């Protein structure tokens, strides 16, 4: 796996030919070993998330659980993942990148080992939550660092990183199938052991990341809500600058909301296809083995699509890639309504959906540079969407029938396409509200001619 990844990373690291005097390159955020270790880390978190489902029969036998109770293990993992994203976002930039990732790996390894050995189901759920907390820290931390650490290559590197998540999601269930569900404790323990060597590679991660969007270093005077603070609010230009700040805050909120919609809905489509494709294919006449193979092909094409998107991200803009992805995804899901084409159409949907998550993060950070926690918001929202979408889709399918699965998912995909088109128009540099000029931002402190004088108690002028 790494024999393929590292040459691909090297090909993406070829410098562009300078058109003018070259500036000194910024310090590297990751060494080559740290990049490889990060990819292995994503294989492991992809495998961990995929281990719970195939282990359900053994969990029911071990703890005497109903099917719904056994499914709570994955729910606890997802809840921990959301908590991990939000907690480690608060810690990002405060405790150092190595410590953030190191604690995340330890939490995930400890939680997975504890889940394998837990004597009671409530304790196992608590340890699955702990493993999810580490999972969320790794997912957020590495995605955030890759989004800011590779410059114009960030979208390409994020696609490579997230492709390895897909590799793990394929390998995890295959390993459970190979050794048998009854041996799930050994698989979880082996997973925990494989996580620990990654701690040694954290020395190759720079402890201080480049400033993310919204941090004070990225734009002096930016406030948390996207406005620009300035002293002298009682100056002649105060009302104008205040109106500009409010307009920027509204624009920022709207853009963030649109990205949340895009991420929640495309993850809903991903989980919807993964969960309902076998049922739909069997309903329209395919055998159970064919339906299972077609669903595996969907996940495999998601992984292949991210590797294919990496070089494309160096030549095409993120908005263009996501627009084409949403259009292709919508077309494939519409085509899946035709029984003869359905298995191939679902595989095509996997190919097109693949680049959206990793390619959208750098676009988000550029479109909302003043939003302190934009990345954490959309990642947490996508996790919540992955949990909430299956029941919601199940209710819609209950009303419309199983044969309507591709059409329902196609309608959701069309909303993704419309949202992307709106973001392209609204979040382009020519449309976004521009920051105030120095004359507008600080009219009360620029010069003696523009700042109104006040007087002290002795009548002397005071500024």
């Amino acid at each position: 796996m790494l024999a393929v990844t590292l040459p691909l990373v090297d090909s993406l690291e070829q410098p562009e030919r300078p058109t003018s005097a070259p500036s000194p390159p910024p310090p590297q955020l990751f060494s080559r070993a740290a990049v490889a270790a990060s990819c292995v880390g994503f294989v492991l978190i992809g495998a961990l998330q995929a281990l719970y489902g195939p282990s359900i029969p053994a969990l029911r036998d071990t703890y005497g659980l109903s099917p719904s109770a056994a499914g709570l293990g994955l729910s606890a993992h997802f809840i921990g993942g959301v908590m991990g994203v939000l907690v480690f976002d608060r810690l990002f930039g405060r405790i150092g990148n190595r410590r953030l990732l190191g604690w995340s790996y330890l939490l995930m390894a400890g939680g997975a080992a504890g889940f394998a050995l837990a004597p009671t189901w409530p304790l196992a759920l608590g340890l699955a939550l702990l493993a999810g907390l580490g999972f969320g820290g790794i997912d957020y931390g590495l995605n955030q660092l890759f989004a800011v650490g590779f410059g114009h290559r960030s979208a390409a590197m994020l696609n490579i990183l997230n492709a390895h998540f897909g590799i793990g999601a394929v390998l995890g269930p295959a390993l459970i199938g190979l050794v048998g569900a009854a041996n799930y404790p050994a698989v979880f323990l082996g997973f925990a052991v494989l996580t620990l060597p990654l701690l040694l590679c954290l020395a190759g991660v720079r402890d201080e990341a480049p400033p993310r969007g919204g941090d004070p270093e990225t734009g002096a005077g930016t406030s948390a809500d996207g406005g620009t603070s300035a002293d002298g609010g009682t100056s002649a230009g105060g009302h104008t600058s205040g109106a500009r700040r409010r307009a920027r805050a509204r624009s920022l909120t709207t853009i963030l909301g649109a990205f949340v919609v895009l991420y929640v809905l495309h993850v809903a489509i991903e989980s919807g296809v993964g969960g309902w494709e076998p049922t739909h294919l069997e309903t329209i006449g395919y055998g159970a083995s064919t339906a299972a193979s077609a669903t595996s092909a969907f996940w495999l094409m998601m992984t292949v699509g991210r590797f294919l998107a990496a070089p494309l991200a160096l030549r095409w803009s993120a908005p263009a890639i996501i627009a084409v992805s949403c259009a292709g995804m919508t077309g494939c899901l519409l085509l899946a309504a035709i029984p003869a084409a359905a298995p191939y159409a679902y595989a095509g949907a996997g190919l097109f959906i693949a680049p959206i998550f990793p390619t959208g993060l750098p676009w988000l950070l550029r479109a909302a540079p003043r939003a302190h926690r934009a990345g954490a918001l959309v990642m947490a929202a996508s996790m919540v969407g992955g949990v909430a979408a299956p029941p919601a889709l199940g209710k819609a399918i209950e009303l419309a029938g199983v044969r309507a699965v591709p059409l329902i998912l196609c309608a959701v995909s069309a909303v993704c396409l419309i949202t992307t088109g709106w973001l392209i128009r609204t979040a382009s540099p020519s449309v976004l509200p521009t920051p105030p000029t120095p004359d507008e931002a600080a009219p009360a402190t620029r010069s003696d001619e523009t700042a109104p004088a006040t007087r002290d108690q002795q009548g002397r002028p005071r500024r």
Side-chain angles (χ1 to χ4, degrees):
M1 177 182 64
L2 293 180
V4 174
T5 299
L6 288 178
L8 181 56
V9 170
D10 288 339
S11 69
L12 296 177
E13 290 180 347
Q14 296 301 320
E16 296 180 329
R17 293 184 179 180
T19 56
S20 58
S23 57
Q28 271 193 322
L29 186 55
F30 289 90
S31 67
R32 290 180 76 251
V35 170
S38 299
C39 292
V40 173
F42 257 58
V43 172
L44 292 177
I45 67 172
L48 175 63
Q49 179 177 307
L51 288 177
Y52 292 97
S55 302
I56 284 179
L59 292 173
R60 292 184 62 193
D61 292 340
T62 301
Y63 298 104
L65 303 172
S66 66
S68 59
L72 291 177
L74 183 58
S75 298
H77 172 85
F78 271 114
I79 292 170
V82 173
M83 292 171 57
V85 169
L86 298 178
V87 168
F88 284 98
D89 172 70
R90 289 282 180 178
L91 298 176
F92 185 85
R94 298 182 184 181
I95 65 172
N97 298 326
R98 295 173 194 151
R99 190 178 300 177
L100 185 151
L101 294 174
W103 278 109
S104 298
Y105 282 129
L106 286 174
L107 286 171
M108 188 171 69
F115 182 82
L117 302 174
T120 64
W121 182 237
L123 180 59
L125 288 179
L127 290 165
L129 184 76
L130 186 68
L133 191 68
F135 169 97
I138 296 165
D139 189 24
Y140 168 76
L142 288 178
N143 271 307
Q144 182 72 29
L145 293 175
F146 270 59
V148 299
F150 292 94
H152 74 283
R153 296 180 291 112
S154 288
M157 296 300 293
L158 278 166
N159 273 285
I160 291 176
L161 180 70
N162 282 273
H164 286 81
F165 184 96
I167 293 174
V170 173
L171 292 180
L175 185 58
I176 290 287
L178 181 65
V179 303
N183 294 313
Y184 80 89
V187 177
F188 276 87
L189 284 172
F191 166 89
V193 170
L194 289 175
T195 302
L196 297 178
L198 299 180
L199 297 170
L200 302 176
C201 298
L202 293 179
V205 180
R206 204 173 91 222
D207 217 25
E208 294 183 1
R212 62 179 174 179
D215 284 348
E217 294 86 344
T218 62
T222 47
S223 63
D225 64 356
T228 303
S229 61
D231 295 332
T234 60
S235 63
H239 294 295
T240 301
S241 60
R244 287 176 179 266
R245 286 197 297 272
R246 288 191 294 272
R248 282 192 297 273
R250 286 193 298 269
S251 176
L252 177 66
T253 302
T254 306
I255 288 171
L256 283 178
F259 271 102
V260 167
V261 169
L262 175 63
Y263 269 70
V264 169
L265 293 185
H266 100 268
V267 171
I269 295 168
E270 177 183 321
S271 61
V273 173
W276 285 97
E277 180 185 355
T279 304
H280 174 247
L281 291 179
E282 289 183 38
T283 300
I284 61 177
Y286 289 91
S289 60
T290 301
S293 299
T295 305
S296 299
F298 168 78
W299 294 113
L300 180 62
M301 293 304 286
M302 278 192 62
T303 301
V304 171
R306 285 172 176 166
F307 278 118
L308 293 177
L312 295 177
L314 298 177
R315 306 178 186 277
W316 298 89
S317 68
I321 291 174
I322 293 178
V324 171
S325 296
C326 289
M329 179 172 63
T330 303
C332 285
L333 290 172
L334 184 61
L335 190 63
I338 303 173
Y344 310 100
Y346 281 125
L351 187 68
F352 280 109
I353 201 174
I356 296 177
F357 184 97
T359 307
L361 289 177
W363 184 21
L364 169 64
L365 297 181
R366 288 195 300 270
R370 293 178 177 82
H372 284 264
R373 296 183 169 88
L377 176 65
V378 299
M379 275 189 266
S382 67
M383 288 184 180
V384 172
V387 176
L393 287 170
K395 187 63 178 178
I397 292 165
E398 180 182 324
L399 296 173
V402 174
R403 290 179 179 271
V405 165
L407 297 178
I408 293 171
L409 294 174
C410 180
V412 177
S413 182
V415 176
C416 290
L417 180 59
I418 293 169
T419 303
T420 301
W422 183 88
L423 279 169
I424 290 173
R425 292 193 304 271
T426 305
S428 64
S430 61
V431 176
L432 284 173
T434 56
T437 63
D439 290 341
E440 296 170 333
T445 58
R446 189 174 185 273
S447 65
D448 290 343
E449 290 76 17
T450 59
T454 60
R455 294 182 180 273
D456 61 18
Q457 293 178 350
Q458 286 74 37
R460 294 189 296 268
R462 181 179 63 190
R463 295 292 178 189

